[in-house]
Amino acid sequence: MDLKGQKCFRCEKFRRYYVKGVRNFEPTDCGICLLTKQTVNCEESCSSYLYKKRKPRNIPLLNLALNDLLTQLTEIRKIIEEERNENEEVPKL
């Protein structure tokens, strides 16, 4: 039974399998259905489909974390530049 638009990869109870690649984990074409406890293809569909709700991102917290990281990087850059300037300003005899 192929229900239009109700593919397993869009279901709340579907968890995709991943394999380790060279740099990161790559998604596979299958996963596990948490209702039936069976391996299913991500393009399949069933009558137990549950729409996966999008989780809202907390943008203010992301902005604070990014700002903190940028501040730390700026301080590290300042330290490196000061050390470079100290090494260049060697007094001549």
Side-chain angles (χ1 to χ4, degrees), residues 15-66:
R15 298 296 181 268
R16 188 181 295 268
Y17 293 142
Y18 290 85
V19 293
K20 184 155 176 42
V22 175
R23 294 185 180 195
N24 52 1
F25 288 92
E26 303 291 334
T28 62
D29 292 336
C30 58
I32 187 167
C33 176
L34 299 178
L35 291 174
T36 62
K37 307 287 189 224
Q38 294 180 352
T39 300
V40 294
N41 188 320
C42 64
E43 295 293 324
E44 291 180 21
S45 61
C46 71
S47 59
S48 302
Y49 176 84
L50 293 170
Y51 178 73
K52 186 187 297 185
K53 297 170 187 74
R54 289 195 173 255
K55 296 174 185 162
R57 292 189 178 161
N58 198 338
I59 299 298
L61 287 179
L62 290 174
N63 288 339
L64 284 174
L66 182 59

Side-chain angles (χ1 to χ4, degrees), residues 79-91:
I79 292 170
I80 291 172
E81 287 177 351
E82 286 178 11
E83 287 179 358
R84 185 182 305 149
N85 289 339
E86 287 177 1
N87 291 337
E88 290 176 355
E89 295 176 2
V90 177

